[in-house]
Amino acid sequence: MEIKEIKIEELDTSDFIEKQVRQLRSAVGDGFAVNALSGGVDSSVVTMLGHKALGSKLKTYFIENGLMRKDEANQIKSWFNELGVEIEILDAKDRFLSALKGLTDPEEKREAITQTFYKDVFGDLVKQSGAKHLLQGTIYTDVEETIAGIKRQHNILEQLGINTEEKFGYTVLEPLIQIRKPGVRKVGEALGLPGIMYSRPPFPGPALATRIIGEITPEKIETVRLATSIVEEELSHTVAFQYLAILHDDKVTGLRDGRRDYGYQIEVRCWDSNDATTGKPTRLSFDILEKISERITIEVPGVVSVTYNIATKPPSTIEAV
Ligand code: XMP
């Protein structure tokens, strides 16, 4: 199926919402649907849209995959509870970590996350609940990057010829698929989401797994999680599109308390971009970079080196994996 992009200049949010609500109601009919909320902009907007269209016929889960940021699950649950949307936190940490064990290749890691998410976790959920539909916040850029072969975004299925009905037992509904991130933010605002939610920097579905080079282990997740929270604290005042910390696989020789310390390297990235299709590194001041480096090397155990990525996208991409 050819997907026609709705450009930001053409997007009339009330028409768009009305049309998507109508389509979701007609697709789900008398049945009901499930969706996963990660707290990223796309899944938050799709959750609100879905609840507007389907009310109690939609059940929303926060999948705790063990790869999320610090305190993310409870934070997101409480934001949505305040908006009147019930969220169930589903603990799937062990399933994701065991699927990722031993994998180092980026596309194999992405595939393991896709399979765990769609086949294992949601496959079981729909079997138990009888839901026939999974609602998700795929956006136009996700499709474009996957089709172009740049990165297989975790949420692309039908466009890769995967029949979800046959493989997993449910149909995927993607009401945001014709718009890009700036459009999604406009729709979120029109749906009454607070600014703090629709203007959050993007966060990928496979979460911190896209920021760990090489094998993913509980220790590495904790390292990148701590570094992420420092980078986010230090850069949240900027107007950058997205900022993140990446954990390299190779260790390097460092020096601590007069002794050799063979430790981890963290790469900081901060992007100026409109819609993630292309990006430029933000020209951060050296004072900010020094503060980030100092905090990471002091507060994150085992890190002896911090670098700042100065390459553009392309040829870089926003995440590392
Ligand atoms: P890249 O790394 O491809 O990222 O330049 C472009 C934008 O997409 C986000 N991203 C993902 N989002 N599933 C998602 O939902 C994914 O598998 C995924 N990979 C990257 C990334 O954070 C950036 O905003």
Side-chain angles (χ1 to χ4, degrees):
M1 179 189 68
E2 171 103 25
I3 298 160
K4 189 176 174 308
E5 179 184 356
I6 302 174
K7 297 225 167 25
I8 187 94
E9 321 74 78
E10 304 160 358
L11 178 66
D12 175 327
T13 51
S14 34
D15 273 6
F16 179 87
I17 293 169
E18 203 183 297
K19 185 171 166 220
Q20 299 306 328
V21 163
R22 227 182 310 121
Q23 286 182 352
L24 288 176
R25 285 184 185 152
S26 111
V28 174
D30 293 336
F32 78 102
V34 288
N35 85 306
L37 168 68
S38 67
V41 180
D42 309 339
S43 74
S44 296
V45 171
V46 101
T47 298
M48 285 312 279
L49 191 60
H51 278 275
K52 184 178 170 72
L54 306 170
S56 59
K57 287 200 226 161
L58 176 67
K59 183 147 170 60
T60 300
Y61 295 88
F62 182 101
I63 309 297
E64 179 47 90
N65 55 16
L67 298 158
M68 302 309 266
R69 287 172 289 190
K70 218 164 128 213
D71 304 329
E72 191 91 17
N74 290 325
Q75 170 73 89
I76 302 303
K77 184 173 160 64
S78 82
W79 279 351
F80 273 86
N81 286 169
E82 275 170 36
L83 294 167
V85 178
E86 285 304 316
I87 309 292
E88 186 173 326
I89 299 176
L90 195 145
D91 184 357
K93 280 191 222 81
D94 294 344
R95 294 210 241 181
F96 280 91
L97 292 188
S98 61
L100 287 164
K101 203 168 166 35
L103 302 183
T104 53
D105 176 79
E107 291 298 305
E108 282 180 17
K109 292 196 281 188
R110 286 174 165 267
E111 178 63 13
I113 289 173
T114 299
Q115 289 297 328
T116 310
F117 189 83
Y118 291 99
K119 185 160 170 271
D120 302 347
V121 175
F122 269 96
D124 283 359
L125 262 184
V126 293
K127 252 182 247 144
Q128 286 158 17
S129 65
K132 286 272 167 277
H133 302 275
L134 170 69
L135 183 63
Q136 72 171 15
T138 321
I139 65 172
Y140 194 79
T141 327
D142 299 338
V143 180
E144 205 175 44
E145 293 224 333
T146 303
I147 306 265
I150 299 167
K151 236 174 229 189
R152 186 251 165 91
Q153 305 273 315
H154 81 288
N155 50 6
I156 301 299
L157 302 154
E158 194 191 318
Q159 290 75 29
L160 291 175
I162 298 170
N163 183 331
T164 57
E165 181 81 59
E166 256 172 34
K167 279 208 131 165
F168 313 132
Y170 53 81
T171 307
V172 177
L173 304 172
E174 300 171 305
L176 307 180
I177 204 154
Q178 290 175 275
I179 56 179
R180 295 178 190 261
K181 194 71 79 186
V184 179
R185 296 195 202 281
K186 267 179 84 175
V187 172
E189 184 178 14
L191 282 165
L193 272 180
I196 193 171
M197 287 158 81
Y198 70 73
S199 60
R200 290 186 104 191
F203 188 67
L208 298 176
T210 60
R211 300 177 181 176
I212 297 172
I213 302 173
E215 188 180 356
I216 295 174
T217 63
E219 184 200 4
K220 284 176 157 183
I221 297 171
E222 198 42 34
T223 303
V224 85
R225 184 179 279 138
L226 285 174
T228 301
S229 65
I230 293 171
V231 169
E232 290 187 350
E233 268 169 46
E234 296 299 332
L235 298 182
S236 61
H237 68 281
T238 66
V239 291
F241 177 79
Q242 199 168 350
Y243 28 85
L244 47 133
I246 288 161
L247 175 60
H248 282 237
D249 198 24
D250 289 345
K251 286 186 161 185
V252 289
T253 302
L255 174 71
R256 216 186 281 275
D257 304 326
R259 303 180 65 155
R260 173 190 160 90
D261 185 3
Y262 194 55
Y264 286 126
Q265 307 184 67
I266 288 286
E267 176 187 326
V268 177
R269 295 184 179 190
C270 180
W271 294 102
D272 289 340
S273 174
N274 273 333
D275 56 17
T277 317
T278 58
K280 280 188 172 174
T282 306
R283 290 183 170 233
L284 295 173
S285 80
F286 223 87
D287 288 345
I288 295 179
L289 290 170
E290 272 178 343
K291 172 128 190 256
I292 293 174
S293 161
E294 190 181 313
R295 284 196 59 194
I296 291 177
T297 49
I298 291 173
E299 296 173 36
V300 187
V303 176
V304 295
S305 168
V306 178
T307 55
Y308 185 54
N309 180 41
I310 51 168
T312 54
K313 172 182 177 177
S316 182
T317 56
I318 287 184
E319 309 287 347
V321 170

Short mmCIF file of all heavy atoms in Angstrom, two decimals, residues 2 4 22 27 35 52 73 88 101 168 173 196 243 263-264 296 298-300 318:
data_model
loop_
_atom_site.label_atom_id
_atom_site.label_comp_id
_atom_site.label_asym_id
_atom_site.label_seq_id
_atom_site.Cartn_x
_atom_site.Cartn_y
_atom_site.Cartn_z
N GLU A 2 0.62 2.12 -0.94
CA GLU A 2 1.38 3.38 -1.01
C GLU A 2 0.88 4.34 0.09
O GLU A 2 -0.33 4.52 0.24
CB GLU A 2 1.16 3.99 -2.40
CG GLU A 2 1.68 5.37 -2.57
CD GLU A 2 3.00 5.39 -3.36
OE1 GLU A 2 3.23 4.45 -4.15
OE2 GLU A 2 3.74 6.35 -3.18
N LYS A 4 0.60 8.11 1.48
CA LYS A 4 0.77 9.47 1.00
C LYS A 4 1.04 10.38 2.19
O LYS A 4 0.22 10.46 3.11
CB LYS A 4 -0.50 9.90 0.25
CG LYS A 4 -0.33 11.21 -0.48
CD LYS A 4 -1.58 11.55 -1.28
CE LYS A 4 -1.48 12.94 -1.91
NZ LYS A 4 -1.14 14.03 -1.01
N ARG A 22 -12.88 8.44 13.21
CA ARG A 22 -13.89 7.70 12.44
C ARG A 22 -13.32 6.36 11.97
O ARG A 22 -13.93 5.30 12.11
CB ARG A 22 -14.31 8.53 11.23
CG ARG A 22 -15.81 8.61 11.05
CD ARG A 22 -16.23 9.41 9.83
NE ARG A 22 -15.63 10.71 9.69
CZ ARG A 22 -14.88 11.11 8.64
NH1 ARG A 22 -14.65 10.29 7.64
NH2 ARG A 22 -14.38 12.33 8.58
N ALA A 27 -12.76 0.48 12.16
CA ALA A 27 -11.89 -0.71 12.11
C ALA A 27 -12.13 -1.63 13.31
O ALA A 27 -12.17 -2.84 13.17
CB ALA A 27 -10.42 -0.28 12.09
N ASN A 35 -2.88 -1.12 23.04
CA ASN A 35 -1.73 -0.36 22.53
C ASN A 35 -0.66 -0.23 23.59
O ASN A 35 -0.91 -0.42 24.78
CB ASN A 35 -2.13 1.01 21.96
CG ASN A 35 -2.23 2.09 23.01
OD1 ASN A 35 -2.94 1.94 24.00
ND2 ASN A 35 -1.52 3.17 22.81
N LYS A 52 -9.74 8.72 22.62
CA LYS A 52 -10.83 9.59 22.15
C LYS A 52 -11.77 8.77 21.25
O LYS A 52 -12.98 8.87 21.36
CB LYS A 52 -10.22 10.76 21.36
CG LYS A 52 -11.23 11.79 20.90
CD LYS A 52 -10.47 12.92 20.19
CE LYS A 52 -11.40 13.87 19.47
NZ LYS A 52 -12.16 14.73 20.35
N ALA A 73 8.55 4.42 33.69
CA ALA A 73 7.24 3.76 33.77
C ALA A 73 6.29 4.50 34.71
O ALA A 73 5.16 4.85 34.32
CB ALA A 73 7.41 2.31 34.22
N GLU A 88 -1.66 0.08 32.29
CA GLU A 88 -1.15 -1.06 33.06
C GLU A 88 0.33 -1.27 32.71
O GLU A 88 0.70 -1.33 31.54
CB GLU A 88 -1.96 -2.32 32.70
CG GLU A 88 -1.55 -3.47 33.59
CD GLU A 88 -2.43 -4.69 33.39
OE1 GLU A 88 -3.65 -4.54 33.13
OE2 GLU A 88 -1.87 -5.81 33.48
N LYS A 101 20.37 -11.39 24.50
CA LYS A 101 21.63 -11.97 25.01
C LYS A 101 22.50 -12.51 23.87
O LYS A 101 22.03 -13.22 22.99
CB LYS A 101 21.29 -13.11 25.98
CG LYS A 101 22.40 -13.40 26.94
CD LYS A 101 21.86 -14.32 28.04
CE LYS A 101 22.91 -14.95 28.89
NZ LYS A 101 24.07 -14.25 29.22
N PHE A 168 0.97 -12.93 14.01
CA PHE A 168 0.82 -12.63 15.43
C PHE A 168 -0.63 -12.71 15.92
O PHE A 168 -0.89 -12.62 17.11
CB PHE A 168 1.36 -11.22 15.77
CG PHE A 168 2.71 -10.91 15.20
CD1 PHE A 168 2.95 -9.71 14.53
CD2 PHE A 168 3.77 -11.78 15.35
CE1 PHE A 168 4.20 -9.40 14.01
CE2 PHE A 168 5.04 -11.48 14.84
CZ PHE A 168 5.24 -10.29 14.16
N LEU A 173 -3.07 -1.01 13.61
CA LEU A 173 -3.69 0.24 13.15
C LEU A 173 -2.70 1.37 13.41
O LEU A 173 -2.18 1.50 14.51
CB LEU A 173 -4.99 0.52 13.93
CG LEU A 173 -6.04 -0.58 13.89
CD1 LEU A 173 -7.18 -0.27 14.86
CD2 LEU A 173 -6.58 -0.75 12.47
N ILE A 196 4.50 19.46 27.94
CA ILE A 196 5.61 18.63 28.41
C ILE A 196 5.60 17.25 27.75
O ILE A 196 6.63 16.61 27.60
CB ILE A 196 5.56 18.53 29.96
CG1 ILE A 196 6.87 17.95 30.48
CG2 ILE A 196 4.38 17.72 30.46
CD1 ILE A 196 7.00 18.01 31.98
N TYR A 243 18.75 14.81 22.23
CA TYR A 243 20.09 14.66 22.79
C TYR A 243 20.17 13.33 23.51
O TYR A 243 19.18 12.87 24.09
CB TYR A 243 20.44 15.83 23.73
CG TYR A 243 19.26 16.46 24.41
CD1 TYR A 243 18.77 15.92 25.59
CD2 TYR A 243 18.61 17.56 23.85
CE1 TYR A 243 17.66 16.47 26.20
CE2 TYR A 243 17.50 18.11 24.45
CZ TYR A 243 17.04 17.57 25.63
OH TYR A 243 15.93 18.11 26.23
N GLY A 263 38.40 1.63 31.11
CA GLY A 263 36.96 1.85 31.30
C GLY A 263 36.18 2.15 30.04
O GLY A 263 36.68 2.11 28.92
N TYR A 264 34.91 2.46 30.27
CA TYR A 264 33.95 2.70 29.18
C TYR A 264 34.10 4.08 28.55
O TYR A 264 34.55 5.02 29.20
CB TYR A 264 32.53 2.60 29.72
CG TYR A 264 32.07 1.20 30.02
CD1 TYR A 264 31.57 0.89 31.28
CD2 TYR A 264 32.10 0.21 29.06
CE1 TYR A 264 31.11 -0.39 31.57
CE2 TYR A 264 31.64 -1.07 29.33
CZ TYR A 264 31.16 -1.37 30.58
OH TYR A 264 30.71 -2.62 30.86
N ILE A 296 29.64 12.96 33.95
CA ILE A 296 29.59 11.54 33.54
C ILE A 296 30.78 10.77 34.11
O ILE A 296 30.62 9.67 34.64
CB ILE A 296 29.52 11.42 32.00
CG1 ILE A 296 28.15 11.93 31.50
CG2 ILE A 296 29.72 9.96 31.55
CD1 ILE A 296 27.97 11.92 30.00
N ILE A 298 32.46 11.37 36.73
CA ILE A 298 32.40 11.23 38.19
C ILE A 298 31.21 10.37 38.62
O ILE A 298 31.32 9.50 39.48
CB ILE A 298 32.32 12.63 38.86
CG1 ILE A 298 33.65 13.36 38.66
CG2 ILE A 298 32.00 12.53 40.35
CD1 ILE A 298 33.65 14.80 39.11
N GLU A 299 30.05 10.61 37.97
CA GLU A 299 28.82 9.98 38.49
C GLU A 299 28.49 8.61 37.89
O GLU A 299 27.68 7.89 38.43
CB GLU A 299 27.63 10.93 38.27
CG GLU A 299 27.75 12.23 39.07
CD GLU A 299 26.65 13.22 38.70
OE1 GLU A 299 25.51 12.81 38.43
OE2 GLU A 299 26.95 14.43 38.68
N VAL A 300 29.08 8.31 36.73
CA VAL A 300 28.74 7.02 36.12
C VAL A 300 29.90 6.04 36.31
O VAL A 300 30.97 6.23 35.72
CB VAL A 300 28.42 7.18 34.60
CG1 VAL A 300 27.91 5.86 34.04
CG2 VAL A 300 27.42 8.30 34.37
N ILE A 318 20.78 9.40 13.87
CA ILE A 318 20.60 10.05 15.17
C ILE A 318 20.97 9.10 16.30
O ILE A 318 21.75 9.46 17.19
CB ILE A 318 19.15 10.58 15.27
CG1 ILE A 318 19.08 11.80 14.34
CG2 ILE A 318 18.78 10.92 16.72
CD1 ILE A 318 17.83 12.56 14.31
#
